[in-house]
Every structure is written in structure tokens, then in C-alpha cells.
């Protein structure tokens, strides 16, 4: 029981999760394929309650997701034990738009593409290179932690 109370005590509120995901820039996406787990860093945008990713359509990640759309995505920050914080999102991704993306109008992608261009490309419009495609994750499970809430003042190694 003590462990569960501690987990609840350091969990982020939904507003804190939204703010955290909006401020961080890189996530790690874990997929499962025929050769086992595969984990890769990606840029992302958190838009409309979903995590939006662009992936090379000829990548191991893409191949894995075509066979099994389940993912676990982690976004985290902090150096010292007392400042570690993060969010894990789990669920099934869905492909949105054409594969690969060439710029065909897709209303559902207008917001995420604008956000991606602003966040990583200094504004303007999204560049479509004909090699990437969009993945959307509406999380089925969200787990968060913010060790700054624990009052842990001493430095401890992360494990």
C-alpha cells in the first residue's frame, strides 16, 4: 500500500501532464516486432489530447507498427533523482493521411502539422519529403511521475 500512495503523491495532474508534454521536445517510442522490442527517439507534438509522430515509412519502427500498433512512449526530464519527472503513454497508434506523406490536404493533420512546423522548424509550413507519414496515439493509459513532489532532497542514482 505504501508504494501506491507514494506513486499517487508524485503523479502529475492532467494539467501538469499537458504542460510537461508541451514543453519537452523528444520522446522515446517502444514497438514490438518479430525481432523483439525496438526503442527509438522521435520529435513529437501533443495536440488535441493525442501524441502526433512522424515516422519514416521505411523504418523498423514502421514495420513493427504495421504488424502490431501497440506502443509505449516515454517523455522524461531531470538529472538528479529529486528532479526526475516524466510521462508514459500507452495505446495503439493509427496512421493518418497518405503513406508516405506528400502534402495532400487532410483536415485532421492541419493542427499537428502547424504545431510541428512551429516547434521544430521555426514556423512556416510543414515540409513533406515523401518519406515520412503521420502516426496518432490517443493514449489508453497515462502514467506520470514528478519526483520534485516527493521532497527527496538527497541525490540518488536513477534506476
Amino acid at each position: 500500500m505504501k508504494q501506491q500512495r507514494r506513486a499517487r503523491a508524485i503523479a502529475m495532474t492532467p494539467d501538469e501532464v499537458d504542460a510537461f508534454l508541451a514543453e519537452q521536445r523528444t520522446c522515446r517510442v517502444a514497438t514490438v516486432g518479430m525481432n523483439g522490442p525496438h526503442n527509438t527517439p522521435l520529435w513529437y507534438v501533443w495536440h488535441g489530447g493525442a501524441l502526433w509522430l512522424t515516422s519514416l515509412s521505411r523504418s523498423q519502427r514502421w514495420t513493427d507498427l504495421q504488424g502490431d500498433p501497440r506502443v509505449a512512449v516515454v517523455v522524461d526530464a531531470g538529472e538528479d533523482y529529486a528532479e526526475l519527472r516524466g510521462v508514459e503513454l500507452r495505446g495503439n497508434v493509427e496512421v493518418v493521411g497518405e503513406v508516405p506523406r506528400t502534402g495532400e490536404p487532410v483536415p485532421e493533420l492541419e493542427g499537428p502539422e502547424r504545431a510541428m512546423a512551429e516547434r521544430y522548424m521555426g514556423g512556416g509550413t510543414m515540409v513533406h519529403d515523401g518519406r515520412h507519414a503521420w502516426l496518432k496515439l490517443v493514449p489508453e493509459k497515462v502514467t506520470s511521475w514528478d519526483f520534485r513532489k516527493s521532497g527527496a532532497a538527497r541525490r540518488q542514482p536513477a534506476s
Side-chain angles (χ1 to χ4, degrees):
M1 268 312 182
K2 184 177 182 182
Q3 187 75 356
Q4 287 183 349
R5 280 195 292 267
R6 181 167 187 260
R8 280 195 301 266
I10 65 171
M12 295 182 198
T13 67
D15 287 343
E16 289 170 334
V17 168
D18 286 342
F20 180 77
L21 292 174
E23 82 182 28
Q24 300 304 312
R25 295 178 55 88
T26 306
C27 68
R28 283 177 288 288
V29 179
T31 60
V32 179
M34 290 178 56
N35 296 320
H38 182 67
N39 198 331
T40 54
L42 283 178
W43 286 345
Y44 71 92
V45 291
W46 179 246
H47 180 79
L51 192 79
W52 293 86
L53 308 158
T54 60
S55 174
L56 286 167
S57 59
R58 290 185 174 204
S59 65
Q60 184 62 55
R61 174 183 45 255
W62 192 268
T63 300
D64 290 350
L65 292 171
Q66 297 313 295
D68 185 345
R70 296 176 299 163
V71 296
V73 178
V74 172
V75 179
D76 61 345
E79 297 293 324
D80 291 328
Y81 177 82
E83 56 187 40
L84 296 176
R85 57 198 174 115
V87 176
E88 179 190 41
L89 307 166
R90 289 179 171 250
N92 294 314
V93 294
E94 66 176 277
V95 175
V96 179
E98 75 273 23
V99 178
R101 181 94 172 106
T102 58
E104 174 184 310
V106 178
E108 188 177 9
L109 290 175
E110 289 175 9
E113 287 189 342
R114 186 172 38 257
M116 184 70 79
E118 288 172 9
R119 186 170 199 186
Y120 299 103
M121 297 158 204
T125 58
M126 184 80 184
V127 176
H128 303 290
D129 62 7
R131 298 178 14 202
H132 289 77
W134 279 99
L135 298 167
K136 177 183 179 183
L137 171 62
V138 177
E140 296 167 16
K141 182 175 182 185
V142 177
T143 305
S144 66
W145 58 94
D146 186 344
F147 283 15
R148 299 173 305 173
K149 294 180 176 187
S150 73
R154 67 183 193 277
R155 184 182 171 113
Q156 296 181 15
S159 55

